[in-house]
Amino acid sequence: AQKVTQAQTEISVVEKEDVTLDCVYETRDTTYYLFWYKQPPSGELVFLIRRNSFDEQNEISGRYSWNFQKSTSSFNFTITASQVVDSAVYFCALSEALIQGAQKLVFGQGTRLTINP
Amino acid sequence: DVKVTQSSRYLVKRTGEKVFLECVQDMDHENMFWYRQDPGLGLRLIYFSYDVKMKEKGDIPEGYSVSREKKERFSLILESASTNQTSMYLCASNLGTGIHQPQHFGDGTRLSIL
């Protein structure tokens, strides 16, 4: 069965520090997709990134970067120069195929990130 | 922008009541999903639907049912609410075609069963 583990339950750093959120996954599929979502205090999950298993290039988007390593089944997320607005719960998820073209997301437990001023 | 709207942000109901949670999306998405979110457990899939009137069980369907009479609307029903169904409920939708499209989520409904 698919499984996603986010071992860090809570992280607290001071503004402007860099912080890395870990994500380790298990799957038997050769083709799969990984996602990161952000859940700010308002509650809605905001999509951040999707990565497929064939593309191991690291990705950077502004202060956000993602490191995908198939050899260690990890898809880690780094925020550079953190800001208070980055405070949220972050979820890593693995996409699992269902029927009729639908897929479900298997979520990790989430990491609560607090950025202190 | 995709908009997924859940009818209530907060809801308080009593044990044994029949509870309806409503979700509407405005992007003509084929797939719709209901998850519940509990501390330390992440999000878990309750039910999903890949077309009008089509529904499939997720990982934790017990005590719930769903209805999808129109493409844009997906309802979650608690047949007889119990205290262990107190949780945050999140609705999501995505395109049915293509490859593992991102799911777009509503703001969530925080449901308390007393």
Side-chain angles (χ1 to χ4, degrees):
Chain A
Q2 320 266 49
K3 185 178 178 183
V4 176
T5 302
Q6 295 178 255
Q8 305 150 308
T9 306
E10 293 191 31
I11 299 175
S12 181
V13 301
V14 177
E15 202 172 17
K16 297 185 183 164
E17 283 187 27
D18 298 347
V19 58
T20 296
L21 309 182
D22 297 333
C23 173
V24 174
Y25 62 91
E26 297 175 28
T27 179
R28 292 182 183 174
D29 295 342
T30 52
T31 302
Y32 51 90
Y33 285 76
L34 295 158
F35 298 78
W36 275 95
Y37 282 84
K38 173 183 180 180
Q39 187 179 41
S42 51
E44 82 281 14
L45 265 76
V46 177
F47 165 70
L48 295 178
I49 190 172
R50 177 186 67 175
R51 173 52 52 89
N52 75 54
S53 53
F54 293 116
D55 183 1
E56 290 196 64
Q57 280 194 332
N58 290 337
E59 180 148 347
I60 298 174
S61 175
R63 296 183 297 106
Y64 294 173
S65 62
W66 290 269
N67 180 266
F68 175 39
Q69 296 210 343
K70 219 168 171 177
S71 58
T72 56
S73 297
S74 66
F75 186 41
N76 297 335
F77 173 31
T78 297
I79 301 174
T80 303
S82 60
Q83 299 176 2
V84 172
V85 294
D86 296 325
S87 297
V89 180
Y90 290 86
F91 289 97
C92 180
L94 175 64
S95 187
E96 177 179 324
L98 297 170
I99 65 170
Q100 299 290 336
Q103 306 93 30
K104 79 171 186 183
L105 292 174
V106 177
F107 284 88
Q109 302 92 321
T111 297
R112 181 177 299 278
L113 176 64
T114 302
I115 310 297
N116 299 299
Chain B
D1 256 5
V2 177
K3 186 67 177 174
V4 178
T5 303
Q6 295 184 228
S7 53
S8 306
R9 289 300 303 273
Y10 300 94
L11 209 52
V12 180
K13 296 291 182 181
R14 296 204 173 276
T15 304
E17 280 192 67
K18 191 168 185 176
V19 181
F20 293 85
L21 303 184
E22 306 287 345
C23 174
V24 177
Q25 50 93 5
D26 65 358
M27 284 302 292
D28 204 34
H29 284 169
E30 290 81 6
N31 300 326
M32 296 189 75
F33 307 82
W34 275 106
Y35 293 87
R36 67 176 278 177
Q37 180 181 359
D38 299 289
L41 297 177
L43 281 75
R44 293 175 293 166
L45 182 66
I46 305 171
Y47 267 96
F48 72 98
S49 168
Y50 54 87
D51 202 351
V52 175
K53 297 192 186 295
M54 307 307 292
K55 56 190 178 185
E56 294 290 333
K57 294 178 180 179
D59 298 318
I60 51 166
E62 296 78 20
Y64 303 95
S65 63
V66 289
S67 171
R68 194 166 181 200
E69 296 297 317
K70 294 185 178 180
K71 192 174 185 180
E72 67 271 17
R73 186 180 296 271
F74 192 35
S75 303
L76 179 69
I77 304 155
L78 285 66
E79 298 291 342
S80 177
S82 64
T83 54
N84 63 12
Q85 292 178 310
T86 291
S87 186
M88 169 78 112
Y89 290 86
L90 288 148
C91 175
S93 72
N94 73 351
L95 283 170
T97 54
I99 43 176
H100 297 253
Q101 296 293 326
Q103 292 182 19
H104 299 270
F105 286 80
D107 290 347
T109 296
R110 192 167 292 282
L111 175 64
S112 296
I113 307 296
L114 305 179

